[in-house]
Amino acid sequence: MRTPQLVRYATGALAVAVSVLSAASCADLARTGSGPSFLVMESVTGARGSATASTFTSSLLSDVQTLVDVIVGGVTVKSPTIFNDLGQATISAAMKNALSTTAPSAINSITINRYRVRFRRTDGQNREGIDVPFGFDGGTTATIPIGSSAAINFDLVRHQSKSEPPLRNLIDGGGLRFISVIAEVTFYGHDQAGNDVSVSGTIDVQFGDFGDEP
């Protein structure tokens, strides 16, 4: 006689669980913006600044100063030089309602128009200009149709960041030898109906005055 009651209870519990999971999923998508389309951060990579082309990698060794060969009076000398470090984000666009029978249109395409970079240390010492470089905002433009992706290059570490504390203090081994941070990059944009959209990603960055190739 108790079996039907147990089945009804189990069915009800399953329905509640599905409802909770659906609500959580909707909440996650809601945080990406109010429009019907959203952005997916597929990867964030970085390339060490240098006088020659660099390779993008999943973590970045950022050299705060590079000795470059220059000719002065017919003599080759080492000149201290600062290079910025580039980042590359691969971002795709998708529809929130994947079960919709209505095909996405051009109005659902997302245009990215700016980005923000912030640095943080895992030990909690995150005073900008003292423990970590100052964060900054930058401009960029890329339109991503639904179902497509784009590789967007951006400044991950700016020249001026290496000219200011705490990175300047690393030159020639001054102060700390290395500073390890997580760089969080957030891209902002909108679909063609004006709905705001954003997406974030992270990459490990280690700053130091690394050895230069002879």
Side-chain angles (χ1 to χ4, degrees):
M1 295 297 294
R2 295 181 180 179
T3 302
Q5 182 178 1
L6 290 174
V7 171
R8 286 196 298 272
Y9 176 79
T11 302
L14 179 60
V16 170
V18 171
S19 176
V20 169
L21 289 174
S22 298
S25 178
C26 290
D28 290 339
L29 287 176
R31 283 193 288 269
T32 68
S34 58
S37 54
F38 68 103
L39 294 171
V40 178
M41 181 70 76
E42 297 183 1
S43 66
V44 179
T45 56
R48 180 173 171 177
S50 68
T52 59
S54 296
T55 302
F56 286 95
T57 57
S58 58
S59 60
L60 174 66
L61 295 179
S62 178
D63 198 355
V64 295
Q65 177 180 269
T66 305
L67 298 179
V68 177
D69 288 338
V70 296
I71 298 177
V72 179
V75 179
T76 300
V77 298
K78 297 288 186 180
S79 175
T81 307
I82 292 176
F83 292 100
N84 64 316
D85 302 312
L86 291 180
Q88 185 178 87
T90 301
I91 303 174
S92 60
M95 297 297 292
K96 291 179 181 178
N97 186 3
L99 301 179
S100 175
T101 58
T102 303
S105 65
I107 200 171
N108 301 125
S109 299
I110 298 176
T111 298
I112 294 172
N113 52 26
R114 63 186 180 94
Y115 67 93
R116 176 176 298 160
V117 178
R118 294 291 182 268
F119 302 97
R120 59 183 174 86
R121 286 168 45 167
T122 56
D123 60 6
Q125 300 184 55
N126 292 315
R127 295 170 297 175
E128 292 190 325
I130 299 176
D131 303 311
V132 296
F134 286 100
F136 62 90
D137 288 43
T140 187
T141 301
T143 296
I144 308 175
I146 300 301
S148 300
S149 63
I152 303 174
N153 290 348
F154 62 97
D155 260 345
L156 181 56
V157 183
R158 289 182 164 179
H159 293 87
Q160 55 264 46
S161 296
K162 297 183 180 183
S163 302
E164 302 170 340
L167 300 188
R168 184 180 64 190
N169 302 340
L170 299 176
I171 294 177
D172 296 327
L176 295 173
R177 292 184 60 83
F178 307 103
I179 296 177
S180 299
V181 303
I182 296 174
E184 181 176 42
V185 188
T186 303
F187 287 86
Y188 300 90
H190 56 80
D191 65 16
Q192 306 315 297
N195 297 299
D196 291 333
V197 182
S198 65
V199 68
S200 297
T202 58
I203 180 174
D204 283 332
V205 181
Q206 180 159 296
F207 296 106
D209 192 359
F210 300 107
D212 300 305
E213 295 182 2

